[in-house]
Amino acid sequence: MSFAHAAGLFALIALVIVGMGWRSMAGGGRVRKWVAIGVRLAVTGLLICILAGPRWQREHHDLEVMVVRDISQSTRLATDYPKVSADESLRSSLDRFLAKASAETPGRKPKWDKIGQVSFARDATIDAMPYSRLVLDARAMTTVAPGTDVASAIQLALASFSRDAMRRMVLIWDGNATEGDTRAAIDAAIAQHVPIDVAPLVYDVQREVLVERLAAPTWRRVGEDFTLEVVLKSTNPAAVNGRLTVFHQNRAMDLDPATPGVQGSKILTLSPGLNVERIKVPGQEAAGVHQFRAEFEPSGAAGVSDTLIENNSATAFTFVRGKGRVLYVDNVPGDGGRFLAEALAGAGIATDAERRRVDRFPTDIVTLQNYDAVILANVPRSAFSEDQQRLLAAYVHDTGGGLVMIGGEQGFGAGGWRGSTVEKILPVNMDIPAERQIAKGALVLIMHACEFADGNYWGGQCALKAAEALGDRDEVGVITFTGGGSRWDYALQPKGDGAAVAGAIKAMTMGDMPSFDDSLNVALHGNAGGKGLLASDARKKHIIIISDGDPTAPAKELLQECIDRDITISTVMVYPHPGYPVSTMRTLAEATGGRMYGPINDNPDQLPQIFIKEATVVRRSLLQEDSNGIPLNIMPGADDMTRGIGAFPPIFGLVLTTKKSDPQVEMPLAVGSRDDPVLASWRTGLGRSAAFTSDATNKWAANWVGSDMYGKFWAQVVRSVSRAPMSGDFDIQTRSSGDRGKVVVEALSSDRGYDNFLSIAGQVMGPDLVARDVRLVQTGPGAYEADFATPAPGNYVLVLTYRGGDGKSGLLLGGLAINGSEELRSLRSRDDILADIARRTGGKVLSGFDPATADLFRRQGLERTASPLPIWDLLVPLAMGLFVVDVATRRLAWDFAAIAGGARRFAGRLMLSGRVETRHSHDGLKAVRD
């Protein structure tokens, strides 16, 4: 409520109060009447004031300083900073400078001022929130990713300030940003009246040699020659000799075909400035992605310097159009996988024999672009890392690739794919409805303290991944050790939706158990916290133990109980203490029919995959086998995968799954009265995926192998999901500039004229596997352009779809390689940018990192801020008191003469008590007493 509204309301009510009071108090005397009216007006005024929400302003006198500090890779080029020893690092020197500059000393830092710190490279992190002293002991030790985003760091610092203080920022930076909108961040600081002092990290690297870029065409046809351009730069004042090597698919190219033999390198002489070397690449017969890498090694002659090794190489890649290939990942036992490979070859579908093994699955998005589809046959989730799973999902959903998952004893839910990223892109769910009666499993995790860096974090990740792979009805329990003995962090019970067990795992604190006896006893027999495995009605019961192996062995009776009740134990030995034998861990596993892993002394990120693999032991109930054969239900509706095949023989087994409840899912083959999926497919994002829950071998599909329909069926399945070939009517070019990439598409119609008014859009995916939308706009006849962010070094894949007014559409592929971080190619600091920031924000330039002159807590240039505080809590008691007086004035008969007389007598006594005692007054008092 505004002041004008409150005043108007009070005036209106006051007229009513005066009118009513004048009449009702007419017989009460003039003084009493006006007193009553005045008190009532005062009460009314206070109530209206409370409703209006009055506030008073409290000025802030304290100051908060946020240090925004560059820790990117380029900061190691700075050498001009104070050192207490020759080998002192920049980090240590800056810590010492900030500690002294923020010390609580007279004339430097007032007592109540605070200081905090934000560090940044490609990402910004809060090292310390504002406090009376700079606390850096607890800052996280993180891997510094290539790149510099000062804009996000400034924004984070602005958000870290409290409202109840004046604010200042200190920016320690070299002035080179590879991403982010720095100007917008500075404008935000100006808008919030936050001055920025700058402390430049100064460097100017001389005598450097680098590969500026490697330029390759975006695409070429099979058999078509093309040329690579290697752009090299030298800042040495004299010519530099060195050796250039160019690799094609990780093999050195012949750089001098005229000379007999393979000349894998070439001697070059670089002049000061830019130098361009052109390498001819003969036409390639293999379609797919062809990757190149150029490396230059200076000769090391006197007077030649090369400070940075990281900028001596560059990469590029080219799409070669031709007949596509399929990546067939074969994890079928024995040679059972050959049946499918031979059938595909007979149908003219080429597979990559070199990558058929699970351990050779690609680890980058560009390599996967070699293939139009991927086939996973009996592949468990534990065979892929989490990054590879994300990579496969992105390949299908975001780049238009195809995926066929084929079952087996380690396929689908039996292979632990439940809850994975890949499950999201498949047309089936790995779990089955709760009402479907199948045997359940029970899993107990015994978690021993992991005594290595971030060990308990990895222990928690192991438990989370194991629980994630279980079904809703499967039972799970988690046991840890505390000083009082082993306990259930999560009592053995059905997993449900997994939220409760995940919360318990994240909250658990693993202790160092002295013996396996107590924890194994709790796992089997339970305790007050929950039942044990012996009381569970699960068909398959399993225990996983993670430990460094130093607890003593359990009692033989407990181990015998496990053997008698068919409870298996698998052990994972991590970072054992020197001298501790592995016999205890091995005995627990071998005696019960489980498996032992380790000792693992490095690479802890493999641990979650082990737990996923072991958790699938209790999921074998999803396998349905029948030696008499399981007849197939051919579902109504035509489907490209089954077209032309009249009848399908029975199968002898499958992995139970559930069709996704999505109308896009097609399910031409099923079994049983519940229509359990055998073959299902759908479109997911830009790609297609299919699930075949039986196998493609002579075990479950023995009636299929060797039949006429076998090869035809699998050829139709693979071709249905495979990515469509690119159109030859488009020319795609990409290039980079700073932290942005640009794509230019030239469209030609069939008569070689320009193709106008097309809709071209898609996604670009970088090394972080995050798909970013990109839409091209027409800039000329048949020309379409767009730019996109390239925030980090690595390969970027463009997947574009086009659509014309005549209904034609198709897929376009392009790509761009960002070579190293731009910050390592900017060989000098940008002091001018820092000076401009200080000028625009009202800060100053701090030079030399001198604590005596830094004056981080000065008040000059700061805007005095204030906080509005409510005062209704003070007005309410006053209004209540006046309300009592108002009632008393109207209900009680006041004798104002008596009150006035009493007031005079009271005042007289006060005056008497304040007199100065004299001899006369003493004599008078004595006389009265006598």
Side-chain angles (χ1 to χ4, degrees):
M1 184 184 299
S2 67
F3 175 78
H5 290 156
L9 179 62
F10 177 75
L12 180 63
I13 297 176
L15 289 175
V16 177
I17 291 175
V18 171
M20 294 179 63
W22 190 271
R23 183 173 181 179
S24 62
M25 298 293 294
R30 184 178 181 183
V31 174
R32 185 179 183 185
K33 177 172 62 178
W34 282 111
V35 169
I37 293 174
V39 172
R40 178 64 58 89
L41 290 174
V43 171
T44 303
L46 284 175
L47 292 177
I48 293 176
C49 190
I50 291 171
L51 292 176
R55 296 171 179 271
W56 65 282
Q57 297 289 327
R58 183 183 68 181
E59 285 193 348
H60 302 147
H61 300 280
D62 300 332
L63 172 64
E64 285 187 0
V65 175
M66 285 299 294
V67 178
V68 181
R69 180 168 161 182
D70 186 6
I71 58 170
S72 63
Q73 294 179 351
S74 63
T75 59
R76 71 173 187 258
L77 301 177
T79 58
D80 186 15
Y81 57 88
K83 303 182 181 70
V84 295
S85 62
D87 58 348
E88 185 182 24
S89 66
L90 175 63
R91 170 177 169 165
S92 175
S93 176
L94 290 180
D95 285 349
R96 180 165 45 80
F97 159 71
L98 292 172
K100 290 183 178 181
S102 62
E104 190 176 308
T105 56
R108 182 171 296 174
K109 177 185 176 298
K111 180 178 181 180
W112 302 112
D113 286 359
K114 299 178 180 179
I115 185 171
Q117 178 171 292
V118 170
S119 60
F120 69 95
R122 191 176 71 186
D123 303 309
T125 305
I126 297 177
D127 293 333
M129 290 297 291
Y131 187 58
S132 57
R133 61 184 179 86
L134 186 60
V135 181
L136 298 177
D137 299 337
R139 60 182 165 186
M141 298 293 292
T142 58
T143 302
V144 178
T148 303
D149 187 358
V150 69
S152 64
I154 292 174
Q155 295 283 11
L156 180 59
L158 291 173
S160 302
F161 285 117
S162 66
R163 296 181 178 180
D164 300 334
M166 295 182 290
R167 296 167 292 177
R168 180 182 296 280
M169 200 179 298
V170 177
L171 177 60
I172 304 176
W173 183 38
D174 61 12
N176 288 309
T178 62
E179 55 193 278
D181 192 341
T182 306
R183 177 167 290 275
I186 298 302
D187 290 341
I190 295 172
Q192 298 182 38
H193 306 286
V194 178
I196 301 179
D197 295 341
V198 297
L201 298 174
V202 180
Y203 57 85
D204 188 2
V205 179
Q206 300 293 331
R207 301 176 180 274
E208 177 68 8
V209 178
L210 65 146
V211 180
E212 185 78 10
R213 66 180 180 274
L214 174 61
T218 303
W219 71 273
R220 284 294 183 267
R221 294 180 177 84
V222 167
E224 185 177 3
D225 296 345
F226 56 92
T227 301
L228 304 175
E229 285 190 352
V230 185
V231 181
L232 303 105
K233 181 180 180 180
S234 174
T235 62
N236 287 270
V240 175
N241 294 324
R243 185 182 302 272
L244 174 66
T245 307
V246 179
F247 297 88
H248 176 208
Q249 309 292 58
N250 290 323
R251 295 180 180 177
M253 294 179 59
D254 186 0
L255 300 187
D256 187 7
T259 302
V262 177
Q263 310 301 315
S265 60
K266 184 177 183 180
I267 302 299
L268 298 180
T269 299
L270 302 185
S271 303
L274 294 178
N275 300 260
V276 179
E277 186 70 19
R278 292 175 174 83
I279 308 297
K280 185 177 181 180
V281 181
Q284 302 298 309
E285 297 303 322
V289 181
H290 289 257
Q291 301 189 58
F292 303 92
R293 183 176 79 257
E295 295 181 354
F296 183 78
E297 181 182 358
S299 63
V304 175
S305 175
D306 188 24
T307 307
L308 299 172
I309 303 300
E310 294 89 336
N311 60 17
N312 283 21
S313 64
T315 61
F317 60 90
T318 297
F319 290 102
V320 176
R321 295 177 181 171
K323 187 177 180 180
R325 290 186 298 166
V326 171
L327 176 56
Y328 172 34
V329 183
D330 176 13
N331 194 53
V332 178
D335 64 346
R338 66 181 175 84
F339 297 109
L340 180 56
E342 292 172 356
L344 294 176
I349 298 176
T351 60
D352 190 343
E354 293 183 1
R355 288 190 178 271
R356 186 168 295 179
R357 286 171 33 185
V358 172
D359 59 352
R360 294 184 179 176
F361 191 82
T363 57
D364 65 279
I365 192 66
V366 171
T367 303
L368 266 181
Q369 302 310 310
N370 282 298
Y371 310 102
D372 293 336
V374 174
I375 303 173
L376 302 182
N378 194 42
V379 176
R381 178 182 176 182
S382 58
F384 285 1
S385 68
E386 290 295 318
D387 287 342
Q388 285 177 311
Q389 294 174 44
R390 291 177 57 230
L391 177 66
L392 179 57
Y395 161 74
V396 177
H397 188 274
D398 300 318
T399 69
L403 172 64
V404 179
M405 180 176 281
I406 302 174
E409 293 184 347
Q410 299 185 73
F412 295 98
W417 288 102
R418 185 190 186 280
S420 67
T421 308
V422 175
E423 183 188 26
K424 298 176 183 177
I425 63 169
L426 288 172
V428 296
N429 292 322
M430 306 303 169
D431 220 341
I432 60 176
E435 62 268 16
R436 179 68 181 271
Q437 297 299 314
I438 64 168
K440 65 180 179 180
L443 175 67
V444 172
L445 306 171
I446 297 178
M447 311 299 295
H448 183 194
C450 302
E451 300 177 19
F452 61 92
D454 296 324
N456 285 353
Y457 163 79
W458 285 111
Q461 291 299 305
C462 292
L464 287 171
K465 292 300 181 183
E468 186 180 83
L470 299 178
D472 295 345
R473 296 178 62 249
D474 293 328
E475 294 181 349
V476 60
V478 183
I479 295 175
T480 59
F481 181 84
T482 62
S486 297
R487 66 175 186 183
W488 290 105
D489 280 83
Y490 187 77
L492 186 65
Q493 58 190 291
K495 171 191 165 184
D497 63 4
V501 65
I505 289 171
K506 292 175 182 178
M508 70 180 180
T509 303
M510 292 177 281
D512 190 6
M513 66 178 69
S515 169
F516 290 126
D517 195 82
D518 186 40
S519 58
L520 191 57
N521 182 63
V522 173
L524 294 176
H525 301 99
N527 59 14
K531 69 177 183 180
L533 285 172
L534 298 182
S536 171
D537 60 351
R539 186 178 75 174
K540 179 61 182 176
K541 303 174 183 179
H542 189 53
I543 299 173
I544 306 177
I545 300 174
I546 183 171
S547 172
D548 57 14
D550 61 357
T552 58
K556 294 182 178 179
E557 294 79 6
L558 290 174
L559 203 56
Q560 190 60 44
E561 279 190 287
C562 292
I563 297 171
D564 295 341
R565 302 296 290 270
D566 196 25
I567 299 174
T568 53
I569 301 175
S570 289
T571 58
V572 185
M573 192 172 189
V574 294
Y575 291 81
H577 297 295
Y580 275 91
V582 300
S583 55
T584 300
M585 303 283 278
R586 179 173 288 115
T587 299
L588 288 171
E590 292 179 350
T592 60
R595 285 174 285 203
M596 180 200 168
Y597 299 88
I600 296 173
N601 294 307
D602 53 15
N603 195 19
D605 57 353
Q606 65 181 299
L607 292 173
Q609 303 306 115
I610 293 174
F611 272 67
I612 291 173
K613 180 179 180 180
E614 286 302 311
T616 61
V617 170
V618 303
R619 303 237 68 203
R620 297 300 167 84
S621 55
L622 294 174
L623 303 180
Q624 181 177 337
E625 297 179 285
D626 190 336
S627 59
N628 296 320
I630 304 172
L632 299 180
N633 300 336
I634 302 177
M635 310 303 288
D639 186 273
D640 291 341
M641 296 182 178
T642 58
R643 182 175 287 110
I645 303 176
F648 290 88
I651 57 176
F652 297 102
L654 75 156
V655 186
L656 294 177
T657 59
T658 305
K659 172 180 172 288
K660 275 189 169 74
S661 58
D662 190 299
Q664 296 188 61
V665 176
E666 300 174 356
M667 189 174 70
L669 294 178
V671 299
S673 59
R674 303 185 62 87
D675 290 334
D676 294 317
V678 173
L679 176 64
S681 67
W682 73 335
R683 175 165 293 282
T684 172
L686 297 177
R688 288 189 63 86
S689 67
F692 187 76
T693 59
S694 185
D695 68 8
T697 73
N698 57 355
K699 181 180 181 181
W700 289 348
N703 292 333
W704 296 35
V705 175
S707 67
D708 293 337
M709 54 80 62
Y710 181 78
K712 181 178 181 180
F713 170 76
W714 283 113
Q716 290 181 173
V717 169
V718 172
R719 287 182 175 131
S720 294
V721 302
S722 293
R723 182 163 50 197
M726 290 177 58
S727 171
D729 294 335
F730 294 83
D731 181 46
I732 306 173
Q733 298 295 330
T734 57
R735 59 180 181 270
S736 65
S737 177
D739 61 349
R740 306 290 295 179
K742 187 173 185 178
V743 56
V744 179
V745 174
E746 186 178 66
L748 300 174
S749 61
S750 56
D751 59 358
R752 309 310 294 170
Y754 294 116
D755 208 342
N756 297 312
F757 311 114
L758 296 177
S759 173
I760 305 178
Q763 293 179 319
V764 57
M765 180 173 298
D768 56 359
L769 298 183
V770 175
R772 298 173 176 87
D773 293 333
V774 58
R775 177 173 293 277
L776 280 68
V777 296
Q778 187 165 1
T779 58
Y784 303 83
E785 296 182 7
D787 63 355
F788 52 91
T790 54
N795 292 325
Y796 290 78
V797 174
L798 276 159
V799 183
L800 306 174
T801 56
Y802 65 88
R803 186 174 302 276
D806 55 358
K808 75 173 183 178
S809 61
L811 187 72
L812 304 174
L813 284 177
L816 181 66
I818 302 299
N819 295 299
S821 178
E822 287 296 320
E823 61 187 348
L824 295 183
R825 299 176 185 275
S826 301
L827 300 179
R828 65 181 185 87
S829 57
R830 296 295 306 274
D831 305 341
D832 56 327
I833 293 178
L834 288 163
D836 183 64
I837 291 174
R839 178 187 59 79
R840 292 182 59 208
T841 61
K844 75 172 185 177
V845 178
L846 308 177
S847 58
F849 299 105
D850 183 2
T853 60
D855 198 9
L856 303 183
F857 299 92
R858 72 187 188 282
R859 264 56 178 174
Q860 290 84 352
L862 296 178
E863 181 183 68
R864 184 67 60 86
T865 59
S867 296
L869 298 178
I871 59 173
W872 64 266
D873 53 339
L874 301 177
L875 299 180
V876 168
L878 181 58
M880 293 176 64
L882 285 177
F883 180 74
V884 173
V885 173
D886 177 53
V887 173
T889 302
R890 296 173 179 276
R891 299 297 180 185
L892 299 179
W894 296 90
D895 188 346
F896 291 102
I899 293 173
R904 286 194 296 270
R905 288 192 295 273
F906 180 72
R909 289 182 180 179
L910 290 178
M911 292 177 63
L912 181 62
S913 64
R915 291 175 181 172
V916 179
E917 294 183 356
T918 62
R919 185 71 173 171
H920 178 74
S921 61
H922 276 283
D923 292 343
L925 289 173
K926 183 177 179 182
V928 171
R929 184 190 62 185
D930 293 342

